[in-house]
Amino acid sequence: MDGIVLLKDDHKTVEKLFKRFEKAGDDAHDEKRKIADQVIEELTTHTWIEEKVFYPAAREAVPETQDHVLESVEEHHVVLWMLSELKGLDATDERFDAKMSVLMENVRHHVEEEEQEWFPTVRKAMGRKRLTELGERMEAAKKDAPDDPLAVPSADE
């Protein structure tokens, strides 16, 4: 699978979880906890493969994307810390829904920038063959992703 398609599929998966969270009732604490746990797992894995495989390849193929990559890594830093806070937060805590809301805003902004502003440039520079190879490497890297959001490199920066 093409690496950019893989990332966009991840984005769609997370957006579906966000929509489920938004539709859950105010008192659906158990459901919201389960959804949040899925979001934590998905985004931890996603940021891992982006930072370990995709971003280095994008920077090499299109050096002018460096600023986008650096900004994305900073956005990851914020998201990963929010994920770690959500992981330990009871769904009945008054801050839980607010924290999820801010997380969703941050992730949606990040996804829009990636998909609109620099994925097309990377696609053009890399071509189908390299993107397919990259997708295979990213898929393989998913199994090495940590469970802890704070174990992703940008969480520490």
Side-chain angles (χ1 to χ4, degrees):
M1 176 185 288
D2 173 317
I4 290 175
V5 172
L6 184 146
L7 294 176
K8 285 183 170 185
D9 283 352
D10 284 357
H11 293 165
K12 288 176 192 164
T13 298
V14 171
E15 181 59 31
K16 285 178 187 169
L17 291 169
F18 287 169
K19 285 189 179 351
R20 278 184 45 210
F21 188 92
E22 289 170 332
K23 288 179 183 170
D26 288 340
D27 296 323
H29 303 299
D30 290 342
E31 182 183 356
K32 285 181 173 181
R33 175 76 263 166
K34 286 177 188 164
I35 295 167
D37 289 342
Q38 287 178 279
V39 167
I40 292 164
E41 182 181 335
E42 290 288 336
L43 287 176
T44 300
T45 299
H46 181 80
T47 57
W48 175 264
I49 66 169
E50 278 189 328
E51 292 182 23
K52 290 292 191 174
V53 183
F54 185 75
Y55 289 173
R59 280 180 82 166
E60 182 182 322
V62 193
E64 60 270 20
T65 65
Q66 177 176 322
D67 288 346
H68 285 293
V69 172
L70 294 173
E71 183 179 329
S72 291
V73 168
E74 291 305 317
E75 289 171 347
H76 283 186
H77 176 81
V78 171
V79 165
L80 291 163
W81 277 91
M82 291 184 76
L83 293 175
S84 74
E85 291 170 2
L86 272 169
K87 197 171 185 172
L89 195 60
D90 191 291
T92 60
D93 188 296
E94 67 179 0
R95 298 169 302 152
F96 188 82
D97 285 359
K99 198 169 288 289
M100 263 308 273
S101 180
V102 172
L103 173 75
M104 290 186 285
E105 288 172 15
N106 275 275
V107 170
R108 284 171 170 153
H109 167 79
H110 176 79
V111 165
E112 183 181 340
E113 282 189 340
E114 280 188 340
E115 291 187 2
Q116 304 300 317
E117 295 178 19
W118 65 285
F119 279 3
T121 307
V122 173
R123 174 173 297 293
K124 193 174 183 180
M126 292 186 99
R128 179 170 293 164
K129 185 178 181 211
R130 282 178 68 194
L131 282 171
T132 300
E133 175 191 297
L134 192 61
E136 290 168 7
R137 286 180 38 220
M138 289 163 52
E139 190 62 49
K142 282 188 173 193
K143 68 180 175 292
D144 297 326
D147 294 333
D148 180 6
L150 298 184
V152 176
S154 66
D156 215 19
E157 295 174 0

